[in-house]
Amino acid sequence: MPDSIAPESLSRLVLPDRVHRTLYTDPAIFELEMTRIFGRCWLFLAHESQIRAPGDFVRARLGREDVIVTRARDGRIHALVNRCTHRGAQVCQAERGNAGGFACPYHAWTFGLDGALNSVPHRQSLPPAFDLKDPRLALAAVPRVESYRGFVFGSLAPEGEGLREHLGPMTAVIDNFIDRAPEGEIEQAGGIARQEYRGNWKLHHENANDTLHPGFVHESSVSAARADQRDYAAPTYDGHQTHTQMLSNGFGVREWQGLALTGFPAGHSYMGGFYRGGVLSPDRDDPDWREYRARLVARHGEEKTARVLGEDRFNNLLYPNVSLNAQYQQVRVVTPLAVDRTRVTAFCFRLKGAPDALFHRAVRFLTNLSSPASMILSDDIEIFERVQGGLANAGPEWLDQSRGLGVDRTEADGRTVSTGLSELPHRAQYAAWLRYMTAAA
């Protein structure tokens, strides 16, 4: 059984400058991660804009559990395990929709939006003591569901730290996301991209805030962008956004070194923003941006607007399953499926009250960075799978994560900061990983 792995055995697998290959390849360790990390931590489930009206629902994954996130008739949000309590069939196959309840396709037991069992066929054939109100017959409810400013999280642990305590200083990125909307509200819009790769889930998180890999992994698209000598004064269908995204991955050591990296004890991390030109620049100046900024000033005033738009971060990882890019209106969710299989789900948001041009920019950003058509994510997935293939070899046993070690600086509030070429985010993640994995139940 996974719980038979002793804490001291796990501690020997994570050192300050290296981690053991079995963290990515051992099914027993993966099973323990599903219990002690994905079975206890707060995981992002959905955004309230996806379940705005009573009856709205979306499906999500909470560790190993397939869950349905619903908005009940009384407005309350529920997260229900997608499994009939009669014979175990899934009661919902749609990814999202609106319904009055859920009917099992096997024997037609029906359940309400709050999970209560509402009816069964041929009631007279069941024992007299059979009670529709018996809580054991309701769809199993996720023990804890909380929302922070519209972002809905769930935890399979009945007790533990609260959502705000877990998020800690990372609530700031959600606040910034909302503050960027002139009407103070965001809504998920556009398509949802889903991809799977044959590799461990931690490979994605390591890569998210690794600043040294882009010039190598994404060399083909960087070279193509450099070879394109188009006149930047000429109009294009996307304002040169795609070209800018490709070129930015080709930064040299000096540019990456100039970025800041930040990590937290809970495993969260982020990097400084690195898009410096055109429609992706944090200080762009064009008619659409001037209109947008004026609308923000009308809501916040000049001083707060400057603070909101001046927050230049990239890949805000809310450990262990979601990454946010507020200034480009992006969300990416990572779902472990097996020790060597992971799903990545990405979508974007509309800033209510902002010019349509900003939403078009967000859709283009999603397409370029996270969709099946992305030249960037396809490179990353290819390298994840090559890493997983390499780790199938028995030796060498250790993976080095010492870049920047000794440069990291811990602040009074517990956060650790370093220069852009450090592997600080890796070390922050594995320190948290070890703490979660060795914590008592």
Side-chain angles (χ1 to χ4, degrees), residues 229-303:
Q229 299 298 320
R230 72 180 68 187
D231 178 4
Y232 266 70
T236 62
Y237 73 99
D238 69 348
H240 302 288
Q241 179 176 332
T242 301
H243 197 228
T244 297
Q245 286 186 255
M246 301 302 110
L247 278 178
S248 295
N249 281 325
F251 279 179
V253 169
R254 179 175 297 179
E255 289 98 337
W256 291 122
Q257 184 74 6
L259 297 181
L261 295 172
T262 304
F264 298 90
H268 314 313
S269 65
Y270 64 86
M271 62 188 290
F274 58 91
Y275 291 119
R276 295 288 181 259
V279 298
L280 298 179
S281 171
D283 57 355
R284 58 185 279 200
D285 184 28
D286 57 62
D288 291 323
W289 190 257
R290 288 194 291 271
E291 180 184 354
Y292 167 60
R293 196 179 190 287
R295 295 182 188 183
L296 274 189
V297 170
R299 177 176 181 82
H300 296 309
E302 181 62 45
E303 183 177 346

Side-chain angles (χ1 to χ4, degrees), residues 101-125:
F102 304 98
C104 179
Y106 199 176
H107 297 95
W109 283 31
T110 63
F111 302 86
L113 295 165
D114 61 355
L117 178 61
N118 287 340
S119 67
V120 296
H122 208 259
R123 175 66 182 80
Q124 60 269 33
S125 63

Side-chain angles (χ1 to χ4, degrees), residues 67-375:
V67 302
I68 316 165
V69 186
T70 70
R71 174 83 68 175
R73 296 301 173 195
D74 61 2
R76 296 180 61 189
I77 295 173
H78 300 268
L80 311 168
V81 176
N82 188 13
R83 184 179 67 237
C84 179
T85 49
H86 177 218
R87 304 299 298 163
Q90 293 175 319
V91 300
C92 179
Q93 288 294 312
E95 292 298 325
R96 63 190 302 175
N98 183 280
F102 304 98
C104 179
Y106 199 176
H107 297 95
W109 283 31
T110 63
F111 302 86
L113 295 165
D114 61 355
L117 178 61
N118 287 340
S119 67
V120 296
H122 208 259
R123 175 66 182 80
Q124 60 269 33
S125 63
L126 290 164
F130 184 89
D131 184 3
L132 290 176
K133 296 181 180 180
D134 185 338
R136 295 173 300 177
L137 300 177
L139 296 179
V142 172
R144 291 190 294 164
V145 178
E146 290 187 27
S147 178
Y148 181 79
R149 301 201 70 179
F151 287 80
V152 182
F153 294 77
S155 172
L156 291 170
E159 299 178 348
E161 67 178 3
L163 175 60
R164 290 196 181 211
E165 183 182 358
H166 173 69
L167 294 176
M170 295 301 280
T171 56
V173 68
I174 298 178
D175 293 338
N176 184 255
F177 210 146
I178 310 303
D179 287 344
R180 287 175 179 269
E183 294 181 6
E185 187 178 349
I186 64 175
E187 59 181 356
Q188 192 274 315
I192 295 177
R194 295 181 181 87
Q195 296 185 80
E196 292 184 12
Y197 65 85
R198 295 183 296 274
N200 191 267
W201 64 276
K202 296 184 289 294
L203 296 174
H204 176 279
H205 288 348
E206 293 173 11
N207 187 75
N209 288 319
D210 180 307
T211 59
L212 194 58
H213 82 274
F216 307 111
V217 174
H218 306 304
E219 188 273 337
S220 59
S221 57
V222 169
S223 296
R226 285 175 175 164
D228 184 357
Q229 299 298 320
R230 72 180 68 187
D231 178 4
Y232 266 70
T236 62
Y237 73 99
D238 69 348
H240 302 288
Q241 179 176 332
T242 301
H243 197 228
T244 297
Q245 286 186 255
M246 301 302 110
L247 278 178
S248 295
N249 281 325
F251 279 179
V253 169
R254 179 175 297 179
E255 289 98 337
W256 291 122
Q257 184 74 6
L259 297 181
L261 295 172
T262 304
F264 298 90
H268 314 313
S269 65
Y270 64 86
M271 62 188 290
F274 58 91
Y275 291 119
R276 295 288 181 259
V279 298
L280 298 179
S281 171
D283 57 355
R284 58 185 279 200
D285 184 28
D286 57 62
D288 291 323
W289 190 257
R290 288 194 291 271
E291 180 184 354
Y292 167 60
R293 196 179 190 287
R295 295 182 188 183
L296 274 189
V297 170
R299 177 176 181 82
H300 296 309
E302 181 62 45
E303 183 177 346
K304 182 174 179 178
T305 295
R307 289 200 309 272
V308 169
L309 298 182
E311 191 67 62
D312 189 18
R313 296 183 181 185
F314 199 74
N315 282 349
N316 296 269
L317 172 61
L318 278 56
Y319 195 83
N321 84 320
V322 64
S323 180
L324 308 182
N325 275 316
Q327 66 203 80
Y328 305 114
Q329 300 144 246
Q330 308 289 308
V331 171
R332 188 185 287 185
V333 183
V334 173
T335 305
L337 301 176
V339 67
D340 58 356
R341 184 168 160 240
T342 305
R343 178 184 301 143
V344 181
T345 304
F347 48 90
C348 64
F349 283 79
R350 184 190 300 275
L351 304 176
K352 296 193 74 173
D356 286 343
L358 266 73
F359 177 61
H360 297 322
R361 183 192 70 167
V363 172
R364 175 58 56 188
F365 199 98
L366 176 72
T367 302
N368 291 340
L369 188 67
S370 301
S371 77
S374 168
M375 291 181 283

